[in-house]
Amino acid sequence: MDFAVNAEPSTDLAPTIAREIARRRTFAIISHPDAGKTTLTERILRAGGAIQMAGNVRAKGERRRTRSDWMGIERDRGISVVTSVMTFEYGGCIFNLLDTPGHEDFSEDTYRTLTAVDSAVMVIDAAKGIEDRTRKLFEICRLRDIPIVTFINKMDREAQDPFTLLDEISSALALDTAPATWPVGRAAQFAGTYDLRERQLHVSPPLEQSDPRMVQLAEELELAEAALPTFDRESFNAGHLTPVFFGSAMKEIGVTDLLDALVAFGPPPRDQATETRTVRADETGLTALVFKIQANMDPNHRDRMAFARICSGRLERGMRLKHTRTGKQFALHTPQFFFARDRQLAEEAFAGDVVGIPNHGTLRIGDTLTAGEDLRFTGVPHFAPEILRRVRLDDAMKAKKLRQALTELAEEGVVQLFRPQDGAPPIVGVVGTLQLDVLQARLSGEYGVSIGFESTPYNLARWVVGDKTKLELFAMANRSAMADDLDGDPVFLAGSAFMMRRTAEMNPDLTFHDIKQIG
Ligand code: GDP
């Protein structure tokens, strides 16, 4: 009669959940290429004695590893190395660091990953200040009110003045900046930081009070404390104010300042909106959101890994979940947890954690899994692609295979797929052309289908929403410009922004969306 052991009454679950989520910190690092994201990630993982880390952040050289290489690592280590999430413990907290793709052509992927974090660390190069991609990624965070912690990196080199940098962040991003630490010394003389909250020097070996760096620090602190905003937790949580840390990832200065701050005030798992209500992270009923799919991680088994963020409750191995898009039950036989050291942890996960769920295509980006409640999370978007290409199949005998492959890769989010309603060959849509290269390479490598791309007369795609009859009439009148997306939702393809505006004006009963919420 030992089956009762696991049947913990739900009343006992609430304190466990409260305790566990209070120590979860789920975040991503955003930056312009070369600002130091990889280096900082390494240092963070090292500080946290990373339980497990992903292949592509280990070192730049290793990024070029082939898939089979890192599958080899998996086999050798007998564990599941997954590139998307790194879990480590630090200061009593469990951190989940979600990796975002470096190249901006994969911005949609980044956006989806950012729907699964509770905060973001924005890395800035101290010499360059705010750069293009930093700004773009920041805007994405702002859309979702994600609290931002700023790390000004490379203080061991020639850098801009800290006041100038703080000023630039505030004005370029319309964001209040509160210095959390202050640099002691600059460039080659950079010795450490002064913690403004704790009023403590983090400099080793210690400096004499008469050291010019200490003199400069005293002067600057006086000015900083008089003139600059102080940290306010509420503004931070609302995404209006960023605490700023100075450091050098390379010299390992300021890295623990950053982690300590995340422990102290880094937001725990946030509440998540669904179509019908807001799910609180401390609810006992399990809910999870699929934000990423990675297919064919093992080329011998056509399986797919769905990455789900737990939004509430406790996930346990062997649980049966409701897949709310289809209404079907989903048995969680082999969820993969990315923390492997602690056996107990490997059996369960809480809000903020990310689990990998192997499946054969049932799970899609934006899907919700629950313990039974009929909920659907919102906020995972598709953006209207800016580049539309027709797929040209080299070997006509492989049409069926191509169809299946394109569907699978589109489900994974590699490209968006549009099937013209007039039966013409499929059109793929991407935000950046690198996605087309990836599609081509993966079709050939994983499915043995060789394709080319042809231009289309279209430059814009819009999801058309409206009354069913009106929509049908519109689709009939514009048949050659209509397509269905992966979910069968109608899309209008236009040659130009001018055409698009005209079409919208002529069809006031219909709306044309450039963002589609999945789920
Ligand atoms: P990423 O492209 O943002 O991932 O940047 P990396 O971490 O690969 O860093 C880009 C370059 O800057 C590399 O040559 C790093 O060694 C160097 N770098 C990173 N952090 C620092 C730092 O704190 N100080 C100095 N001097 N160089 C750094």
Side-chain angles (χ1 to χ4, degrees):
M1 287 293 285
D2 63 355
F3 65 83
V5 172
N6 290 329
E8 192 180 7
S10 60
T11 44
D12 287 344
L13 200 51
T16 307
I17 284 179
R19 193 177 60 239
E20 289 298 334
I21 66 170
R23 64 189 197 109
R24 289 298 188 285
R25 301 288 184 268
T26 302
F27 73 108
I29 300 180
I30 59 173
S31 68
H32 190 86
D34 263 8
K37 182 170 116 163
T38 310
T39 313
L40 182 64
T41 302
E42 278 173 15
R43 298 302 188 259
I44 285 177
L45 292 176
R46 193 185 297 175
I51 295 170
Q52 199 166 303
M53 67 173 98
N56 73 351
V57 289
R58 240 182 283 149
K60 229 165 193 172
E62 291 196 30
R63 280 189 188 166
R64 293 187 202 282
R65 264 181 194 291
T66 62
R67 183 170 297 267
S68 58
D69 273 350
W70 66 258
M71 293 309 297
I73 301 175
E74 276 199 306
R75 272 195 306 275
D76 295 346
R77 292 221 236 144
I79 51 163
S80 174
V81 178
V82 175
T83 48
S84 302
V85 55
M86 292 146 271
T87 300
F88 60 94
E89 268 186 271
Y90 180 89
C93 283
I94 293 180
F95 283 83
N96 296 300
L97 169 51
L98 306 197
D99 194 26
T100 54
H103 199 286
E104 69 177 315
D105 280 7
F106 303 110
S107 53
E108 214 181 10
D109 210 22
T110 300
Y111 194 105
R112 291 189 212 111
T113 297
L114 290 175
T115 63
V117 302
D118 299 307
S119 61
V121 170
M122 175 168 74
V123 181
I124 291 173
D125 182 319
K128 295 185 182 153
I130 300 282
E131 297 175 87
D132 223 32
R133 184 131 175 82
T134 332
R135 192 192 309 265
K136 285 194 188 123
L137 288 164
F138 169 77
E139 290 305 335
I140 294 174
C141 293
R142 167 164 282 167
L143 278 175
R144 294 184 50 82
D145 299 326
I146 296 172
I148 308 272
V149 177
T150 302
F151 185 80
I152 298 186
N153 191 31
K154 305 196 187 182
M155 287 303 293
D156 60 304
R157 281 218 206 132
E158 275 317 309
Q160 294 184 52
D161 171 72
F163 289 100
T164 312
L165 283 161
L166 290 165
D167 228 35
E168 187 187 338
I169 300 169
S170 325
S171 55
L173 305 179
L175 179 72
D176 286 342
T177 49
T181 61
W182 201 262
V184 184
R186 301 293 137 75
Q189 297 294 309
F190 183 48
T193 58
Y194 176 79
D195 186 328
L196 285 142
R197 284 183 334 121
E198 309 277 338
R199 300 189 171 277
Q200 255 178 20
L201 265 175
H202 297 164
V203 176
S204 131
L207 300 176
E208 299 286 336
Q209 280 306 319
S210 59
D211 190 295
R213 289 171 286 187
M214 293 300 289
V215 177
Q216 182 189 25
L217 175 69
E219 282 170 16
E220 287 178 346
L221 281 182
E222 201 175 319
L223 195 59
E225 288 183 332
L228 296 170
T230 49
F231 180 69
D232 174 71
R233 201 163 175 158
E234 221 167 283
S235 307
F236 167 65
N237 282 338
H240 300 323
L241 174 144
T242 180
V244 180
F245 295 83
F246 292 88
S248 161
M250 203 168 77
K251 299 246 148 98
E252 290 197 81
I253 298 177
V255 178
T256 50
D257 293 342
L258 181 70
L259 285 173
D260 290 338
L262 287 171
V263 169
F265 57 77
R270 54 163 57 206
D271 301 342
Q272 298 265 351
T274 72
E275 285 174 0
T276 42
R277 69 181 186 87
T278 296
V279 170
R280 293 208 334 263
D282 62 358
E283 290 179 19
T284 51
L286 178 89
T287 61
L289 167 65
V290 176
F291 65 93
K292 184 184 173 91
I293 305 277
Q294 202 164 332
N296 303 339
M297 290 177 58
D298 178 351
N300 300 321
H301 300 94
R302 272 281 146 74
D303 64 341
R304 285 196 250 181
M305 185 75 86
F307 290 88
R309 178 199 152 106
I310 315 292
C311 300
S312 66
R314 175 169 69 179
L315 181 121
E316 289 168 279
R317 193 189 298 276
M319 234 173 166
R320 290 190 81 76
L321 300 177
K322 181 171 183 172
H323 180 224
T324 63
R325 183 169 52 80
T326 58
K328 294 204 174 111
Q329 287 256 325
F330 190 92
L332 202 60
H333 293 308
T334 48
Q336 312 224 344
F337 297 89
F338 302 117
F339 21 65
R341 196 167 64 187
D342 188 327
R343 203 145 159 72
Q344 215 188 335
L345 279 176
E347 294 296 324
E348 57 182 12
F350 296 90
D353 290 335
V354 172
V355 293
I357 307 175
N359 71 103
H360 294 286
T362 318
L363 297 179
R364 290 203 198 161
I365 294 165
D367 279 358
T368 302
L369 296 165
T370 72
E373 190 178 351
D374 205 7
L375 285 176
R376 295 179 82 169
F377 286 110
T378 56
V380 184
H382 268 319
F383 295 101
E386 285 152 24
I387 301 163
L388 295 153
R389 293 278 182 277
R390 209 175 291 276
V391 174
R392 189 197 64 233
L393 182 60
D394 292 342
D395 176 357
M397 299 296 284
K398 293 197 167 157
K400 200 172 154 203
K401 184 125 198 209
L402 174 68
R403 205 181 160 77
Q404 178 216 345
L406 277 179
T407 304
E408 287 187 14
L409 292 173
E411 281 172 359
E412 195 188 326
V414 174
V415 291
Q416 290 185 54
L417 181 61
F418 303 106
R419 298 187 202 282
Q421 292 186 353
D422 65 5
I427 291 174
V428 292
V430 294
V431 176
T433 50
L434 215 54
Q435 287 175 271
L436 293 174
D437 299 343
V438 172
L439 176 68
Q440 202 167 26
R442 291 191 57 182
L443 279 173
S444 142
E446 293 164 30
Y447 298 88
V449 179
S450 143
I451 58 149
F453 297 107
E454 281 167 5
S455 60
T456 63
Y458 312 116
N459 290 302
L460 280 178
R462 292 289 180 264
W463 283 277
V464 197
V465 176
D467 170 78
K468 191 160 177 269
T469 324
K470 297 218 167 85
L471 203 58
E472 274 169 15
L473 282 172
F474 176 79
M476 255 187 320
N478 294 279
R479 199 161 142 79
S480 67
M482 289 301 292
D484 293 326
D485 75 2
L486 196 61
D487 303 320
D489 290 328
V491 175
F492 176 70
L493 305 170
S496 65
F498 172 77
M499 266 296 293
M500 188 60 249
R501 269 199 309 278
R502 244 182 74 115
T503 307
E505 276 162 22
M506 286 162 57
N507 297 275
D509 297 330
L510 299 174
T511 48
F512 297 83
H513 296 276
D514 60 359
I515 293 178
K516 171 179 159 171
Q517 297 287 338
I518 315 173

